[in-house]
Amino acid sequence: MTVRTPSRHPRTCSLLLAVFLLLLSVQVGEAAAEYDPYKVLGVSRSASQAEVKRAYKTLAREWHPDKNKDPKAEDMFIKISKSYEILSNEERRSNFDRYGQMDENQPFGQSQHHGFRGFHNSFYFDESFFHFPRSRDFADSKYLLHHAQFNSDVLPDSHKRPYLIKVTSEWCFACIHIEPVWKETVQQLEPLGVGIGVVDMGYERRLANQLGVHRVPSIIGLLNGRVTLFHQAVVREHLQQFIEDLLPHRLVEKITDNNYLAFLDSWQVENKPSVLLFDQVPIVPLLYKLTAFAFRDYVRFGFVDQGDPQNTRILQQFNINTYAPTMLLFKEDTEKPVDIIQARGMKRQIMDEFVSNNKFLQVPRLVNQQLFDELCPVKQFHRRRKYCVLLITGEDQAFLPSNKAFLDFATANSKEVLRFAYVYQRQQQPLCQALLHSQVSLTPQVVILERRSQAGKVMYRSVNGGWNGSEEDKYRLHEHLELLQKDPAYLSSDATLPELNNEMAPIFIIRWVNAACDYILQIYDDLLYSNWREMMPILSLIFSALFILFGTVIIQAFSEPGENKPQKPKPKEQSQTEDDASSRTSTSSRPPKKDFVEVTELTDITYTSNLVRLRPGHINVVLVLTNASKNALLRKFAKEVFSFSGTQTLHFSFLNADKHRHWMPSLFHSASDATDGLSDEDDESSDYTGHVLALNGHKRYFCLFRPVFTGDDPNSSSSETSFCDRRKSRSRSRSSSHSRSRSSSSEDGSRPKRASSRATSIEVHHKLDKLGLWMERLMEGTLPRLHVPVWPSLDETANTCSMES
């Protein structure tokens, strides 16, 4: 009889599974507890944003890989940056506090632990749980870029060298295929000076969006802050050519026997030394192009192909060894180089050191503020004093001998503490005026200065006697320099120098054309490779402009012909429109039309706003009329002031003398008391029809136009002058003879009254014939002004009490 023992395999499997899940939960909990952004930054959960930022800056400075040589510094710096990105964002910080969520794209409530992760809605274990090796085996962590690091370090550095950046992510199988080519390309380009970067799209999605990359793998080039996508097959030769295409095309000039003299002689115009590279290859090496790009602001670069038969003369003149690459550096002397290197394997470090030691001419010209800051740095310590010996001269042929003598003196007396330079007085007038005390010097002058602050403060001393280049001038300058080295207090004068003009800056049209070309090339590149995601804003703008353009054309095509042609109203209808507008009791807010002059009546309602509280700089031109002369004077007034109606500081009004008959006498009485220059005829006159006043309510003054009476003699001075002009005449007469002034004033006052009593309707219409000339003098500011202590009120009772008092 066989007894079957019950199997315990299912129970054993269940027990093992439970133990496994328990270990998994413990591992997950430890992993989650290990990566706590609060603990990484050392702040509490109630810490403010300022405290988080302060802690991040402190830890970032401490653990930055460039400053901390600890092997764990790089990983710690990544953790610090990631923690700061979580806690600096309020939404991500709230999600982490509630769910432990650290990825902004992860659904709420699902923790992103290192032990497991969702992928295509399936559950699987990450390689970190089983300690699998990561996919980036080629030390990608060395080149990893973060958003803050990219904007603070890489973007500014892209103006000195190009960057090749790879955008990848974890579990990107296509990224694995390009890894060997990427590794080989980096090993080739990095020693040449090309910057390398890697962006993990899973962790740096914001940086990927800034770069305009939305898929992986992607390779981009960065130069001068501009991003260019690589679209060809990932081959080492294509990537190298991609970097060369990013560089400007005119970096290195091809030199032959026909143009090498012109190239070397251009140092005076370009204000830069010249470097010639001699090599056996027919094309310019990439290493030389990268060096030329890094020092393009300081040195001009030329390349000579030693195998070209057109270069025999230049090879013989400088005795070039054809078996190794040779670099010659020239300054002011174009026949003899100041420095030379020759090596079979040119290294980037050797070339950079060679060029950086000779960035400036022996006596460079100050053409911008950046060059001045580098040649004459601000004094930091007593032992690091730098004195700048500056020659202020001209650019004409007559100054060439003295400039050449200054160059010879600088070559013979070159020292570490002395920097020689010159400046053209016409190009840098503010700087020269500050050093020469605003005096225009006809002869060259030498000034020794030392910069004390970035704000422009300098201590300086001028060399007496000027500079003509004679032996006596050289001896005098040498004596000043000897005294300066013995006693730094020898520089007794101080000044604050303005910023130098940038003489080398391109004009606006050239900058605009360059920007337009770059923009067109960018659009062409995006259209060629169908980068529609980035092109949508541009396409939307183009289609919007086309829609507006064609919409306007369609509307004009279907509109009636009469609507587009402005109809010129008849003079009678225009006068009626102006008359209706002038009778309004409130100022309209709409702008004046082309054939319309808006005239407001001064009433108790509009008086305060149109005069008393008139804005500073604004003038109200007021016409005085009566009920009988209203229509005729308003038409004439609108005709005379029409050309001035577009001025925003002028307002036009009219005052009805029948309604406010006491206002004009009160105004003249106030002006007479203030200036003591008005005659009695101005106070006693009862007919003010046709008078025009320019009232400045803010400064309390006015100018008066007296009407022209056609019934009198046209040659009479009283018929052609304004009230202010006649006041000048009476003042001059009174200074010579007081009695003669009073008789003249009474005669002038009698004529208008007689003319007014004889005036017909036609004469009333012609009272404003000279108003246009008077308005021109008003706009020029040549009319005399009568000041009043206070503007009289339109209320008759108030004016009467004021006159009696």
Side-chain angles (χ1 to χ4, degrees):
M1 179 177 179
T2 303
V3 180
R4 180 175 296 179
T5 305
S7 176
R8 296 185 180 182
H9 182 69
R11 182 179 299 177
T12 303
C13 293
S14 301
L15 181 60
L16 292 176
L17 181 60
V19 172
F20 178 75
L21 292 177
L22 178 62
L23 292 175
L24 176 62
S25 62
V26 171
Q27 180 73 13
V28 169
E30 290 179 355
E34 180 182 359
Y35 190 78
D36 187 353
Y38 292 101
K39 291 184 179 180
V40 172
L41 295 181
V43 296
S44 62
R45 290 185 174 269
S46 59
S48 62
Q49 289 293 336
E51 295 174 349
V52 171
K53 187 175 182 179
R54 193 180 307 113
Y56 164 72
K57 288 185 176 181
T58 303
L59 293 175
R61 285 194 297 266
E62 179 183 356
W63 291 97
H64 198 282
D66 295 340
K67 299 180 180 179
N68 196 327
K69 302 305 179 181
D70 193 333
K72 300 180 180 179
E74 188 173 352
D75 295 336
M76 188 62 185
F77 183 77
I78 295 175
K79 287 183 178 181
I80 292 170
S81 302
K82 186 65 178 179
S83 301
Y84 177 69
E85 290 183 5
I86 296 173
L87 299 184
S88 61
N89 190 306
E90 294 293 343
E91 183 179 356
R92 299 182 65 181
R93 181 176 179 178
S94 176
N95 295 337
F96 177 81
D97 294 339
R98 297 174 61 184
Y99 309 109
Q101 173 187 347
M102 291 179 288
D103 190 357
E104 58 183 357
N105 298 320
Q106 184 180 354
F108 289 165
Q110 179 180 348
S111 300
Q112 180 189 4
H113 300 301
H114 290 271
F116 59 92
R117 182 174 305 173
F119 181 75
H120 293 295
N121 297 326
S122 62
F123 180 84
Y124 70 97
F125 294 102
D126 192 14
E127 74 274 11
S128 61
F129 181 76
F130 295 101
H131 304 285
F132 288 162
R134 297 178 63 87
S135 59
R136 53 175 78 102
D137 55 346
F138 175 54
D140 277 352
S141 58
K142 175 184 177 181
Y143 306 104
L144 277 178
L145 299 179
H146 306 283
H147 185 267
Q149 175 197 4
F150 176 82
N151 289 280
S152 61
D153 299 335
V154 177
L155 269 182
D157 194 45
S158 67
H159 294 271
K160 298 180 181 179
R161 59 172 177 167
Y163 271 81
L164 190 67
I165 302 175
K166 179 184 68 172
V167 182
T168 182
S169 66
E170 296 181 355
W171 301 102
C172 171
F173 297 103
C175 302
I176 301 176
H177 296 288
I178 69 171
E179 196 66 35
V181 180
W182 173 260
K183 178 179 179 180
E184 185 180 0
T185 304
V186 170
Q187 289 177 346
Q188 178 186 3
L189 296 182
E190 189 177 18
L192 301 182
V194 178
I196 306 298
V198 176
V199 177
D200 193 327
M201 197 171 185
Y203 290 96
E204 294 294 338
R205 189 172 299 274
R206 183 170 57 166
L207 178 56
N209 293 334
Q210 179 180 347
L211 295 175
V213 179
H214 307 285
R215 61 178 181 270
V216 292
S218 295
I219 297 178
I220 63 174
L222 180 68
L223 187 72
N224 290 329
R226 179 185 173 186
V227 176
T228 305
L229 290 174
F230 176 76
H231 299 286
Q232 299 179 356
V234 183
V235 184
R236 181 171 57 87
E237 291 77 10
H238 291 173
L239 290 173
Q240 179 177 348
Q241 187 62 40
F242 174 65
I243 291 296
E244 292 195 32
D245 293 340
L246 292 178
L247 299 172
H249 298 291
R250 299 287 296 177
L251 273 177
V252 181
E253 187 175 349
K254 202 68 176 292
I255 302 300
T256 62
D257 289 344
N258 299 326
N259 63 351
Y260 81 95
L261 291 177
F263 176 79
L264 297 178
D265 288 336
S266 62
W267 64 267
Q268 200 164 13
V269 178
E270 298 290 340
N271 196 40
K272 297 176 182 178
S274 302
V275 175
L276 287 179
L277 173 65
F278 297 82
D279 204 347
Q280 290 285 354
V281 294
I283 60 175
V284 183
L286 178 59
L287 173 62
Y288 194 57
K289 289 184 178 180
L290 294 172
T291 306
F293 179 78
F295 295 95
R296 66 190 184 279
D297 295 333
Y298 302 96
V299 182
R300 300 177 67 244
F301 292 84
F303 177 74
V304 181
D305 180 13
Q306 297 180 358
D308 191 347
Q310 297 182 357
N311 298 330
T312 56
R313 187 174 60 182
I314 185 175
L315 295 176
Q316 294 176 359
Q317 179 174 351
F318 298 112
N319 194 19
I320 301 299
N321 182 6
T322 59
Y323 297 99
T326 306
M327 291 183 65
L328 304 181
L329 192 141
F330 298 85
K331 292 187 177 181
E332 287 87 348
D333 189 359
T334 60
E335 297 181 358
K336 183 179 180 181
V338 295
D339 202 353
I340 178 174
I341 59 172
Q342 192 175 49
R344 289 189 177 275
M346 282 284 188
K347 302 296 183 180
R348 177 62 189 270
Q349 183 179 2
I350 298 176
M351 298 179 68
D352 288 350
E353 184 178 359
F354 174 76
V355 178
S356 60
N357 292 336
N358 299 278
K359 290 195 304 182
F360 307 108
L361 296 172
Q362 191 70 37
V363 182
R365 177 164 61 95
L366 300 183
V367 294
N368 52 44
Q369 186 65 32
Q370 178 184 357
L371 183 60
F372 185 41
D373 294 339
E374 295 192 40
L375 286 174
C376 306
V378 178
K379 184 195 75 170
Q380 298 179 352
F381 303 100
H382 178 73
R383 295 182 179 180
R384 296 184 181 179
R385 291 181 179 272
K386 296 288 185 181
Y387 299 104
C388 190
V389 184
L390 184 63
L391 173 65
I392 301 176
T393 181
E395 51 189 320
D396 299 335
Q397 294 291 332
F399 296 94
L400 290 180
S402 59
N403 297 346
K404 181 63 170 58
F406 187 77
L407 174 61
D408 297 338
F409 179 86
T411 305
N413 296 272
S414 60
K415 296 181 181 179
E416 183 65 25
V417 296
L418 296 178
R419 292 291 179 87
F420 293 86
Y422 70 101
V423 62
Y424 287 150
Q425 186 173 0
R426 187 176 63 87
Q427 301 289 348
Q428 304 291 343
Q429 291 184 2
L431 174 70
C432 299
Q433 290 177 359
L435 295 175
L436 300 178
H437 303 287
S438 302
Q439 296 178 1
V440 179
S441 177
L442 299 179
T443 59
Q445 301 289 328
V446 177
V447 178
I448 307 173
L449 59 89
E450 180 187 14
R451 299 186 63 193
R452 293 297 179 89
S453 68
Q454 294 289 349
K457 183 179 180 181
V458 297
M459 301 297 296
Y460 72 98
R461 188 184 186 95
S462 299
V463 179
N464 299 329
W467 177 267
N468 294 322
S470 61
E471 294 298 329
E472 182 182 357
D473 293 340
K474 294 181 180 179
Y475 177 79
R476 188 186 307 111
L477 178 57
H478 187 272
E479 185 179 10
H480 278 72
L481 295 178
E482 291 292 335
L483 294 175
L484 178 63
Q485 295 182 7
K486 295 178 182 179
D487 183 14
Y490 184 69
L491 304 179
S492 56
S493 303
D494 62 334
T496 301
L497 302 183
E499 186 173 352
L500 272 70
N501 300 326
N502 189 0
E503 302 178 19
M504 298 298 180
I507 60 177
F508 171 77
I509 187 64
I510 296 179
R511 288 180 291 175
W512 185 87
V513 170
N514 293 335
C517 292
D518 293 340
Y519 193 67
I520 293 173
L521 291 176
Q522 183 70 29
I523 294 176
Y524 173 77
D525 185 70
D526 293 336
L527 289 175
L528 182 62
Y529 296 102
S530 301
N531 195 359
W532 299 109
R533 185 190 297 266
E534 297 180 2
M535 285 297 298
M536 283 305 296
I538 301 176
L539 294 177
S540 176
L541 178 62
I542 294 175
F543 281 113
S544 299
L546 292 176
F547 177 78
I548 295 174
L549 177 62
F550 286 105
T552 306
V553 172
I554 292 173
I555 292 175
Q556 291 181 353
F558 285 94
S559 62
E560 295 183 3
E563 295 180 359
N564 298 330
K565 298 180 180 180
Q567 298 179 357
K568 185 176 181 181
K570 298 180 180 180
K572 184 176 181 180
E573 295 176 355
Q574 177 182 354
S575 302
Q576 291 178 356
T577 305
E578 296 164 354
D579 189 15
D580 296 337
S582 63
S583 61
R584 297 179 183 178
T585 58
S586 61
T587 305
S588 175
S589 60
R590 67 182 182 183
K593 300 179 181 178
K594 294 182 179 180
D595 55 350
F596 181 82
V597 178
E598 190 175 52
V599 185
T600 305
E601 182 180 1
L602 286 183
T603 63
D604 296 333
I605 300 176
T606 62
Y607 181 79
T608 302
S609 60
N610 285 13
L611 177 60
V612 179
R613 296 182 181 178
L614 199 62
R615 287 178 293 177
H618 287 240
I619 295 177
N620 197 344
V621 181
V622 181
L623 169 67
V624 182
L625 49 78
T626 59
N627 292 329
S629 61
K630 179 178 180 181
N631 294 335
L633 287 181
L634 277 177
R635 294 192 188 100
K636 183 64 174 179
F637 181 75
K639 180 180 179 181
E640 293 291 329
V641 302
F642 173 75
S643 59
F644 305 94
S645 59
T647 306
Q648 297 181 355
T649 57
L650 289 182
H651 308 272
F652 301 100
S653 306
F654 71 91
L655 178 71
N656 195 329
D658 294 337
K659 298 180 182 179
H660 310 284
R661 64 185 63 187
H662 294 281
W663 188 80
M664 289 289 288
S666 301
L667 178 66
F668 290 155
H669 182 74
S670 300
S672 177
D673 293 342
T675 62
D676 194 23
L678 297 176
S679 61
D680 296 338
E681 53 120 4
D682 301 314
D683 295 337
E684 297 174 357
S685 177
S686 60
D687 185 12
Y688 299 99
T689 304
H691 288 63
V692 180
L693 300 91
L695 307 176
N696 191 318
H698 180 70
K699 294 186 177 181
R700 295 197 186 101
Y701 72 80
F702 69 93
C703 293
L704 181 65
F705 171 84
R706 294 187 66 87
V708 177
F709 296 95
T710 57
D712 288 345
D713 184 8
N715 297 327
S716 176
S717 61
S718 62
S719 64
E720 296 180 0
T721 59
S722 66
F723 175 85
C724 299
D725 296 334
R726 293 171 59 243
R727 175 183 169 232
K728 277 186 173 182
S729 174
R730 289 196 300 271
S731 300
R732 290 192 297 267
S733 301
R734 184 174 61 251
S735 61
S736 59
S737 175
H738 181 68
S739 60
R740 185 174 60 188
S741 171
R742 294 183 59 86
S743 63
S744 175
S745 176
S746 61
E747 290 175 3
D748 291 340
S750 62
R751 286 193 199 122
K753 294 181 182 179
R754 291 193 300 269
S756 175
S757 62
R758 298 194 306 266
T760 63
S761 60
I762 299 178
E763 293 172 346
V764 169
H765 178 74
H766 287 283
K767 283 185 176 183
L768 304 179
D769 284 344
K770 301 296 182 178
L771 181 60
L773 299 177
W774 183 82
M775 288 292 297
E776 291 180 0
R777 295 185 59 191
L778 174 65
M779 297 301 296
E780 295 172 357
T782 58
L783 290 176
R785 302 172 180 178
L786 300 177
H787 292 268
V788 294
V790 65
W791 293 111
S793 175
L794 286 181
D795 187 15
E796 297 182 2
T797 305
N799 289 337
T800 303
C801 296
S802 176
M803 293 178 63
E804 291 176 356
S805 60

